[in-house]
């Protein structure tokens, strides 16, 4: 249980770092704004616009 939680935390941290490293233009190309990064990271299975994303 702890190991799975740790792995999930690492995935979220890695995704957040990757998204932060993108330029505003690159973020716009994938359909998110810099202000939505935290939401996207914590809700990876959903789209911030309410559309289910493919994983």
């Amino acid at each position: 249980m702890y190991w799975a939680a740790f792995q999930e935390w690492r995935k979220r941290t890695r995704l957040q770092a990757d998204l932060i490293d993108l330029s505003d233009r690159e973020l716009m190309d994938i359909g998110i704004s810099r202000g939505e990064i935290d939401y996207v990271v914590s809700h990876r299975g959903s789209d911030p616009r309410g559309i289910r994303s493919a994983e």
Side-chain angles (χ1 to χ4, degrees), residues 7-53:
Q7 288 178 318
E8 183 63 28
W9 173 81
R10 292 221 12 185
K11 286 179 188 177
R12 284 193 314 268
T13 302
R14 191 175 318 125
L15 175 59
Q16 185 176 33
D18 289 343
L19 290 173
I20 287 170
D21 286 342
L22 295 176
S23 70
D24 289 337
R25 176 67 183 173
E26 290 168 321
L27 288 170
M28 191 179 353
D29 286 346
I30 62 172
I32 64 170
S33 68
R34 194 155 300 281
E36 294 173 317
I37 289 175
D38 288 336
Y39 179 86
V40 170
V41 169
S42 62
H43 298 90
R44 289 185 336 204
S46 64
D47 188 296
R49 294 167 309 272
I51 303 167
R52 180 84 178 150
S53 63

